[in-house]
Amino acid sequence: MSTASHRTPLTGPSVWQGKDIKNSTRWIRDLTPDAVEELDAAVKGLRRMEWSEITAEDVWLPTLGELWDDIADELENGSGIMKLRGFPVDRYSEDDLRRLYFAVGTHIGTPVFQNRSGELMRLIRDEGAHVGRTYGETKDEKGSTFLSSYARTLTNGGLRFHTDRTDVVGLLCVRQARAGGVSKLASTPAIHNAILERRPDLLEVLFQDYWRSRFGEEGTSKDGEGATNKESAYPLPIFGLRDGKFTSHYSLTFIEAAQLAPDVPKLTDAQREAIELLMQTAEELCFEMTLDPGDLQLINSHVTYHGRTPFEDDASSGNDRMLMRLWLTMRNNRPLPQGHEVLWQEIEAGRPRGGIRQVAG
């Protein structure tokens, strides 16, 4: 796999184009009325527990085991995306909804930490002008404010195509915005194949190391300290392949943050061109999905890029966008290439991995 001539197209159901998959039902499931009753009964039995302490053993869901197995299989061996519809989100308080969602998460996979202080569930919504000060900002070369990836998630701005640091991302829609906030999904194996066909030389570049920063993750403070030194940076390819299993880990924000550090190698012209082609191809091959309240979107980060359009809230009418996010490590996850330990710690199949390492103090 050292030269472009050895690359071959990826195959299988995770290779899809947006124009085709958007009309497919293979990635959509519905909770039946009986399933909702079962979940409702489970919530009532969990009210004495803190949501974050719930384990799969605490929740008896006798008829739903096949559904969870089906979802896990579709995410790893199928299309890599899933929408489970019908959560009765308007029936519960926020605390009960956390209990229900976390309980479901423990049956599909195992929740992992989403930040360095041990956050297991994040509310994705517009938190206002303070997000940079609270979650990480620094200055770029032009003196403009550069928000961490963490901070960008909690604005009403658009999000570029990216992956999260986990096998599977779960987003439960509680409320949708008045306008915008549309989810965008693209198959990374399909992007790989398109670039192989158009520019095999640039495909090879994407299998080479790109420096990324941990800015907004483990290695930085809230005021941006650490965003601009090599101690918080690490090299990792955007594309990887092992035993026929593909993975892509990509966030342009982390790459841009690393470029602010004077001692991190600068991107080459070929690397910049490869990123431009990657983003252009993702846009061409993606599809848009509007999440309705009660929809749970699950995506396999190894084979899917996700983004969102900007949104406008209207709290007075109850249209202030809020999603609950879980990061899950999966029991049936794939092997990852050598060198990916720098990000994932564990690269063997079927092992817990991902999430953000905890920082003491």
Side-chain angles (χ1 to χ4, degrees), residues 43 49 64 93 109 122 155 233 247 298 315 356:
V43 169
M49 298 187 67
L64 294 176
S93 68
R122 180 180 299 176
T155 70
T247 186
L298 296 152
I356 308 295

PDB file of all heavy atoms in Angstrom, residues 43 49 64 93 109 122 155 233 247 298 315 356:
ATOM      1  N   VAL A  43     -37.769   3.810  32.099  1.00  0.00           N
ATOM      2  CA  VAL A  43     -37.507   5.135  32.677  1.00  0.00           C
ATOM      3  C   VAL A  43     -38.049   5.208  34.105  1.00  0.00           C
ATOM      4  O   VAL A  43     -37.369   5.707  35.017  1.00  0.00           O
ATOM      5  CB  VAL A  43     -38.145   6.245  31.807  1.00  0.00           C
ATOM      6  CG1 VAL A  43     -38.104   7.581  32.530  1.00  0.00           C
ATOM      7  CG2 VAL A  43     -37.418   6.359  30.476  1.00  0.00           C
ATOM      8  N   MET A  49     -31.911   6.811  40.025  1.00  0.00           N
ATOM      9  CA  MET A  49     -30.494   6.771  39.647  1.00  0.00           C
ATOM     10  C   MET A  49     -30.078   8.055  38.944  1.00  0.00           C
ATOM     11  O   MET A  49     -30.875   8.694  38.255  1.00  0.00           O
ATOM     12  CB  MET A  49     -30.226   5.588  38.705  1.00  0.00           C
ATOM     13  CG  MET A  49     -30.503   4.232  39.301  1.00  0.00           C
ATOM     14  SD  MET A  49     -29.955   2.908  38.189  1.00  0.00           S
ATOM     15  CE  MET A  49     -28.166   3.162  38.228  1.00  0.00           C
ATOM     16  N   LEU A  64     -36.056  -5.742  22.966  1.00  0.00           N
ATOM     17  CA  LEU A  64     -35.332  -4.817  22.097  1.00  0.00           C
ATOM     18  C   LEU A  64     -33.917  -5.266  21.748  1.00  0.00           C
ATOM     19  O   LEU A  64     -33.221  -4.582  21.006  1.00  0.00           O
ATOM     20  CB  LEU A  64     -35.293  -3.427  22.724  1.00  0.00           C
ATOM     21  CG  LEU A  64     -36.669  -2.745  22.850  1.00  0.00           C
ATOM     22  CD1 LEU A  64     -36.548  -1.416  23.566  1.00  0.00           C
ATOM     23  CD2 LEU A  64     -37.295  -2.551  21.483  1.00  0.00           C
ATOM     24  N   SER A  93     -39.238  14.844  31.220  1.00  0.00           N
ATOM     25  CA  SER A  93     -38.377  15.946  31.654  1.00  0.00           C
ATOM     26  C   SER A  93     -36.990  15.736  31.074  1.00  0.00           C
ATOM     27  O   SER A  93     -36.656  14.641  30.599  1.00  0.00           O
ATOM     28  CB  SER A  93     -38.291  15.981  33.178  1.00  0.00           C
ATOM     29  OG  SER A  93     -37.587  14.825  33.644  1.00  0.00           O
ATOM     30  N   GLY A 109     -23.932   0.475  22.602  1.00  0.00           N
ATOM     31  CA  GLY A 109     -22.482   0.462  22.748  1.00  0.00           C
ATOM     32  C   GLY A 109     -22.122   0.834  24.177  1.00  0.00           C
ATOM     33  O   GLY A 109     -22.883   0.572  25.104  1.00  0.00           O
ATOM     34  N   ARG A 122     -23.414  15.444  25.862  1.00  0.00           N
ATOM     35  CA  ARG A 122     -23.353  16.879  25.600  1.00  0.00           C
ATOM     36  C   ARG A 122     -24.659  17.337  24.973  1.00  0.00           C
ATOM     37  O   ARG A 122     -25.205  16.670  24.088  1.00  0.00           O
ATOM     38  CB  ARG A 122     -22.202  17.212  24.654  1.00  0.00           C
ATOM     39  CG  ARG A 122     -22.113  18.717  24.367  1.00  0.00           C
ATOM     40  CD  ARG A 122     -20.983  19.051  23.439  1.00  0.00           C
ATOM     41  NE  ARG A 122     -19.702  18.678  24.015  1.00  0.00           N
ATOM     42  CZ  ARG A 122     -18.534  18.784  23.370  1.00  0.00           C
ATOM     43  NH1 ARG A 122     -18.514  19.235  22.132  1.00  0.00           N
ATOM     44  NH2 ARG A 122     -17.408  18.437  23.951  1.00  0.00           N
ATOM     45  N   THR A 155     -22.299  26.732  18.905  1.00  0.00           N
ATOM     46  CA  THR A 155     -22.783  27.975  18.292  1.00  0.00           C
ATOM     47  C   THR A 155     -23.935  27.604  17.349  1.00  0.00           C
ATOM     48  O   THR A 155     -24.272  26.434  17.188  1.00  0.00           O
ATOM     49  CB  THR A 155     -21.678  28.673  17.475  1.00  0.00           C
ATOM     50  OG1 THR A 155     -21.411  27.893  16.295  1.00  0.00           O
ATOM     51  CG2 THR A 155     -20.410  28.828  18.296  1.00  0.00           C
ATOM     52  N   ALA A 233       0.248  18.714  19.772  1.00  0.00           N
ATOM     53  CA  ALA A 233      -0.010  18.270  18.397  1.00  0.00           C
ATOM     54  C   ALA A 233       0.455  16.832  18.192  1.00  0.00           C
ATOM     55  O   ALA A 233       1.298  16.315  18.924  1.00  0.00           O
ATOM     56  CB  ALA A 233       0.695  19.197  17.410  1.00  0.00           C
ATOM     57  N   THR A 247     -10.733   3.445   7.515  1.00  0.00           N
ATOM     58  CA  THR A 247     -11.080   4.439   8.534  1.00  0.00           C
ATOM     59  C   THR A 247     -10.616   5.807   8.062  1.00  0.00           C
ATOM     60  O   THR A 247      -9.606   5.928   7.352  1.00  0.00           O
ATOM     61  CB  THR A 247     -10.462   4.127   9.902  1.00  0.00           C
ATOM     62  OG1 THR A 247     -10.960   5.058  10.867  1.00  0.00           O
ATOM     63  CG2 THR A 247      -8.937   4.237   9.887  1.00  0.00           C
ATOM     64  N   LEU A 298     -27.488   7.886  14.338  1.00  0.00           N
ATOM     65  CA  LEU A 298     -26.264   7.191  14.742  1.00  0.00           C
ATOM     66  C   LEU A 298     -25.373   7.053  13.512  1.00  0.00           C
ATOM     67  O   LEU A 298     -25.843   6.630  12.445  1.00  0.00           O
ATOM     68  CB  LEU A 298     -26.583   5.806  15.316  1.00  0.00           C
ATOM     69  CG  LEU A 298     -27.413   5.801  16.605  1.00  0.00           C
ATOM     70  CD1 LEU A 298     -28.226   4.526  16.723  1.00  0.00           C
ATOM     71  CD2 LEU A 298     -26.494   5.954  17.824  1.00  0.00           C
ATOM     72  N   ALA A 315     -36.869  30.671  20.481  1.00  0.00           N
ATOM     73  CA  ALA A 315     -37.247  30.039  21.748  1.00  0.00           C
ATOM     74  C   ALA A 315     -38.704  30.317  22.113  1.00  0.00           C
ATOM     75  O   ALA A 315     -39.357  29.492  22.771  1.00  0.00           O
ATOM     76  CB  ALA A 315     -36.323  30.522  22.862  1.00  0.00           C
ATOM     77  N   ILE A 356     -12.112  11.157  24.897  1.00  0.00           N
ATOM     78  CA  ILE A 356     -11.050  12.081  25.290  1.00  0.00           C
ATOM     79  C   ILE A 356     -10.434  11.618  26.593  1.00  0.00           C
ATOM     80  O   ILE A 356     -11.135  11.345  27.572  1.00  0.00           O
ATOM     81  CB  ILE A 356     -11.609  13.509  25.486  1.00  0.00           C
ATOM     82  CG1 ILE A 356     -12.405  13.948  24.243  1.00  0.00           C
ATOM     83  CG2 ILE A 356     -10.493  14.487  25.797  1.00  0.00           C
ATOM     84  CD1 ILE A 356     -11.603  14.096  22.998  1.00  0.00           C
TER      85      ILE A 356
END
